[in-house]
Amino acid sequence: MLKADGYPDIQVFIATLRGMEDIAEQYNRDLVKWEQQAKEKDKLPKPPEKESIRNRLRPLQEQGKQKNQPNQEKKPFDRDSR
């Protein structure tokens, strides 16, 4: 499934996923901070932009997909050869 989506292996996918989780967590922290500021002030400041989050996630996803390493052919493992 991952190769069909453009990821060379599970390690690259997991690294990309963790990077995306970090970005999402930072957005949530910024949103909580904004909500606290909004409660304290009468005039609401502009909330964090979701579009900028999407723009930060796309390059990370593309970077993970482009880490296609040259396919090194592995020798088949024969369990009976021990």
Side-chain angles (χ1 to χ4, degrees), residues 72-82:
Q72 298 174 352
E73 296 202 18
K74 295 181 180 179
K75 296 180 181 177
F77 181 72
D78 185 13
R79 292 183 180 184
D80 295 331
S81 65
R82 290 194 231 175

Side-chain angles (χ1 to χ4, degrees), residues 22-38 45-50 52-53 56:
D22 292 342
I23 291 171
E25 288 174 7
Q26 181 62 45
Y27 173 78
N28 287 332
R29 286 191 294 269
D30 292 345
L31 184 61
V32 168
K33 184 178 176 182
W34 173 79
E35 288 173 345
Q36 289 173 349
Q37 290 175 352
K46 186 177 177 184
E49 294 182 23
K50 290 183 182 180
S52 66
I53 296 299
R56 290 173 59 194

Side-chain angles (χ1 to χ4, degrees), residues 3 11-12 14 25 32 39 44 59-60 63-64 70 73 77:
K3 288 189 182 206
Q11 288 85 10
V12 172
I14 294 296
E25 288 174 7
V32 168
K39 288 179 183 178
L44 296 176
L60 185 61
Q63 179 184 15
E73 296 202 18
F77 181 72

Side-chain angles (χ1 to χ4, degrees), residues 1-3 7-18:
M1 268 178 154
L2 294 175
K3 288 189 182 206
Y7 294 98
D9 57 28
I10 189 73
Q11 288 85 10
V12 172
F13 173 76
I14 294 296
T16 303
L17 179 65
R18 288 191 177 133

